[in-house]
Amino acid sequence: MSDRRRSDHRAATRMTSPARVLGRLPPGARRGAGESAASVRVGEQFTTTGRFALTARILVVNILPLVLLGGGLFYLDGYRTQLINERFKMARIEAQITAEALAGATRERQEALLVQIGKEQRMRLRMFDAEGRLWADSFALAEPAFQFNDITDDSWDQQFARWLDRTVDTIVAAEPVQDYVEPEAQEADAWPELAQAREEGVSQVRLYDWRDGTPVITAAAPVGLNGATLLTVRNAVDITESVRAARSTLGIAVLCVLAASILLSLFLARTIVTPLRQLAKAAMRVRAGREREVEVPRLPERRDEIGLLARAVSDMTGALRHRIDAVDSFAADVAHEIKNPLASLRSAIESLHRVDDPGLRRELEQIATHDVRRIDRLVSEISDASRIDAEMSRATLERIDLADLVRAIIGSREHRSENEGRRIELVAHGFAPIVAGVCARLERVVENLLDNAVSFSPPDAPIEVGIDNDGEWVTLTVCDYGPGIPEDARDKVFQRFHSVRPEQEDFGNHSGLGLAIARTIAEAHDGTLRAEARPDGRGGACLRLRLPAA
């Protein structure tokens, strides 16, 4: 049996947009390409993994040079600190060994040792007596073993190297080092490390910084037991050269990585821009109204955000086409449904002034009145259809006892004599049938189901309403003893404007939207509405509403 619906606008009602409800294709019917395919692919296409995510690739390409540069700077700082610490140990040992060699030697032997060690180790050695006066200086006894760099004669690359040294020190927050300045007074107390060595009797090592950025390491050690002291000064240029060489290697590595990063960024940008341009071009063609000619690329090989976007746009385009088809179909159906009563109304009105027979005039007036009511009913149903989506999105769900709601509806219908003498029997099983929903909308569903049953139920046969709650689902069944619904037509009864009228009812009392409205409201509550055969095998139809239990 086809749709058995009866329009009724005594209760506040609503439906989805024409493309949603009145344009909804029933389960099992042929769907548009965009709808069924999209529903199947949702779980498999709208996923990305961290390994393939575009964000991860962009971060790696852009962060790698920075990580290498930052890590290299801190490595160089640690490398320089390690070299200086090693040189500190060596300076202390050299000072102690030299002091032991000088202790007890004659003056001539001491001077010879100062000159020899100074030349071999490229150091300046000075010896002070017990009163702190300068006694011997290797630079005065022989040609100086080294010379401090005069920065006024430095080339631009040396100046740049010093600036880079200071920049790196600032970045790594290196501790400041005191500048090396030769004291004017050639006395032991002018050197803090000598004063401390004389006072404590142990060797002391200090780090200074020459004007060209190279480290100067001094070591003071007591000589013998008579209070004499030794001071060694070394300009550790090799440390700075080693650090700068390592920094140059790091710079080359960073430049290579940066070049690779730029190339990868350009490649990555191309892989982003090209598909985005394709998608934008397709979107503009869809906007221009040529969506039927557009095949939006889905990019199935891409598992990143671009692929996600491509498939989303493709599915959106398919859904849009389906919506447009549904709206076009709905508009044609509305025009067809309204055109018939309008034609009848026009014919009746145009004939009135030519008819003199009072009986025929009354008949024409009744036809006109019937057609006006039929048009009003259709407009009301269509208006309800256009509001359901918006109302359900703003509605606040409440806990509803479905059994109490059905009892109230049955009592109200009997009071208004809307059951046309049919007896409605209600039986409830299981737990309390509490559901979460909008009371007015669920009331509309029950009213439409009862209207449908009343339309097709024999006058002397009851209408059986059953409610069951298994703890997960609340099921409402409305069964009658009418002609029933053939199995191949049980989905068609939920299509818009699909209506087969009972023979005993007047033409035009069915809008063909009642069950479509009911199913839409049920699905808006995360439920289902289906047409089935009676479970006892007897003749008649059974409509089953399932809603999640609250």
Side-chain angles (χ1 to χ4, degrees):
M1 182 67 60
S2 296
D3 179 31
R4 305 127 48 89
R5 286 163 276 190
R6 191 175 188 176
S7 62
D8 188 339
H9 39 104
R10 58 180 168 272
T13 61
R14 61 192 178 90
M15 286 193 63
T16 64
S17 61
R20 170 80 182 273
V21 178
L22 301 185
R24 184 190 300 277
L25 294 178
R30 183 178 180 274
R31 295 173 179 258
E35 182 179 351
S36 61
S39 62
V40 173
R41 289 189 298 264
V42 166
E44 65 185 44
Q45 70 189 20
F46 294 107
T47 57
T48 58
T49 61
R51 184 176 58 169
F52 297 104
L54 200 59
T55 303
R57 281 184 272 173
I58 293 174
L59 288 176
V60 169
V61 168
N62 290 278
I63 290 180
L64 185 59
L66 297 178
V67 171
L68 181 61
L69 178 60
L73 292 179
F74 283 98
Y75 164 76
L76 290 179
D77 182 63
Y79 176 62
R80 180 179 61 180
T81 302
Q82 181 181 4
L83 290 178
I84 292 176
N85 289 337
E86 292 295 331
R87 197 58 58 85
F88 264 40
K89 296 178 182 178
M90 186 172 67
R92 187 186 301 274
I93 294 173
E94 288 175 342
Q96 291 175 348
I97 293 176
T98 303
E100 291 178 0
L102 294 173
T106 63
R107 181 180 180 90
E108 290 77 9
R109 180 58 180 166
Q110 289 176 341
E111 291 179 352
L113 285 174
L114 292 177
V115 172
Q116 180 183 0
I117 295 174
K119 287 183 178 181
E120 292 178 354
Q121 301 299 325
R122 297 182 60 81
M123 293 190 303
R124 183 176 184 178
L125 292 85
R126 279 175 278 202
M127 189 170 176
F128 298 83
D129 59 18
E131 285 74 25
R133 295 188 299 268
L134 180 62
W135 180 78
D137 184 353
S138 64
F139 276 23
L141 296 174
E143 183 179 353
F146 69 90
Q147 289 183 350
F148 286 108
N149 180 35
D150 185 3
I151 61 175
T152 58
D153 298 331
D154 283 351
S155 60
W156 68 270
D157 57 329
Q158 292 174 323
Q159 295 176 5
F160 176 76
R162 286 200 303 274
W163 173 83
L164 199 56
D165 291 338
R166 293 192 297 269
T167 302
V168 172
D169 289 343
T170 302
I171 293 175
V172 300
E175 295 184 3
V177 180
Q178 182 180 351
D179 292 336
Y180 178 80
V181 179
E182 281 282 344
E184 296 181 358
Q186 294 296 323
E187 297 178 355
D189 293 339
W191 301 86
E193 53 270 43
L194 273 175
Q196 188 173 1
R198 288 164 58 87
E199 179 180 353
E200 298 179 3
V202 294
S203 58
Q204 302 292 329
V205 182
R206 287 288 182 93
L207 175 65
Y208 295 94
D209 188 26
W210 181 242
R211 286 175 290 180
D212 64 353
T214 57
V216 178
I217 300 175
T218 64
V223 179
L225 301 177
N226 58 359
T229 52
L230 172 69
L231 176 67
T232 65
V233 178
R234 171 184 276 125
N235 184 201
V237 179
D238 57 321
I239 293 179
T240 301
E241 292 175 348
S242 298
V243 172
R244 288 178 179 175
R247 187 173 62 203
S248 298
T249 303
L250 173 64
I252 294 173
V254 170
L255 289 177
C256 292
V257 174
L258 184 60
S261 176
I262 292 174
L263 294 176
L264 289 174
S265 298
L266 293 175
F267 172 76
L268 192 58
R270 183 177 180 181
T271 62
I272 296 173
V273 172
T274 300
L276 286 182
R277 285 177 177 171
Q278 294 176 352
L279 293 175
K281 184 178 180 180
M284 287 188 290
R285 296 184 65 189
V286 171
R287 184 187 63 180
R290 296 190 293 271
E291 72 282 351
R292 290 294 180 187
E293 306 172 10
V294 179
E295 185 66 30
V296 179
R298 295 187 61 83
L299 305 179
E301 72 282 357
R302 297 200 57 154
R303 305 297 298 175
D304 54 15
E305 291 83 352
I306 297 296
L308 178 69
L309 175 63
R311 292 183 284 277
V313 172
S314 178
D315 289 342
M316 180 187 68
T317 304
L320 178 62
R321 291 171 179 169
H322 176 68
R323 288 290 183 97
I324 293 174
D325 290 343
V327 170
D328 291 343
S329 178
F330 171 72
D333 290 342
V334 169
H336 175 74
E337 292 294 326
I338 294 181
K339 186 176 181 179
N340 289 336
L342 280 177
S344 176
L345 176 62
R346 178 182 178 182
S347 177
I349 293 176
E350 289 178 349
S351 301
L352 274 175
H353 70 280
R354 296 194 298 266
V355 175
D356 296 328
D357 182 21
L360 184 56
R361 289 181 64 88
R362 284 194 300 272
E363 184 178 350
L364 290 174
E365 290 174 354
Q366 290 175 356
I367 292 175
T369 301
H370 180 272
D371 290 336
V372 170
R373 291 176 178 172
R374 185 179 173 193
I375 293 173
D376 179 69
R377 183 182 304 114
L378 283 171
V379 172
S380 297
E381 296 282 6
I382 294 168
S383 176
D384 291 339
S386 65
R387 295 197 303 264
I388 272 202
D389 272 345
E391 290 184 6
M392 285 302 296
S393 65
R394 297 191 300 265
T396 301
L397 302 184
E398 55 183 318
R399 292 171 61 86
I400 300 171
D401 189 319
L402 194 59
D404 291 344
L405 178 64
V406 173
R407 291 191 188 97
I409 293 174
I410 293 174
S412 176
R413 292 175 62 90
E414 290 177 350
H415 179 72
R416 297 192 301 266
S417 301
E418 293 178 353
N419 295 329
E420 300 180 5
R422 276 76 169 177
R423 186 175 75 259
I424 299 179
E425 300 176 353
L426 173 64
V427 179
H429 301 283
F431 303 100
I434 306 298
V435 297
V438 181
C439 186
R441 302 287 75 79
L442 294 180
E443 180 181 351
R444 179 60 185 273
V445 174
V446 176
E447 289 279 7
N448 286 0
L449 297 181
L450 292 178
D451 280 344
N452 181 79
V454 168
S455 296
F456 288 87
S457 181
D460 56 347
I463 297 173
E464 300 170 351
V465 179
I467 300 178
D468 181 59
N469 183 7
D470 60 6
E472 184 176 358
W473 293 93
V474 174
T475 304
L476 169 68
T477 56
V478 178
C479 301
D480 59 53
Y481 288 91
I485 306 175
E487 185 175 357
D488 59 352
R490 289 173 186 168
D491 285 329
K492 295 180 181 179
V493 297
F494 296 101
Q495 295 180 15
R496 62 186 185 277
F497 300 119
H498 186 87
S499 178
V500 174
R501 302 180 302 277
E503 295 180 357
Q504 67 272 18
E505 289 195 0
D506 295 333
F507 178 82
N509 287 341
H510 287 73
S511 66
L513 296 175
L515 290 185
I517 293 175
R519 171 172 274 187
T520 299
I521 296 175
E523 292 179 351
H525 285 78
D526 297 326
T528 60
L529 178 60
R530 300 175 57 189
E532 303 174 350
R534 288 181 59 91
D536 55 11
R538 303 175 65 179
C542 187
L543 296 177
R544 184 179 301 274
L545 170 69
R546 296 180 77 237
L547 298 172

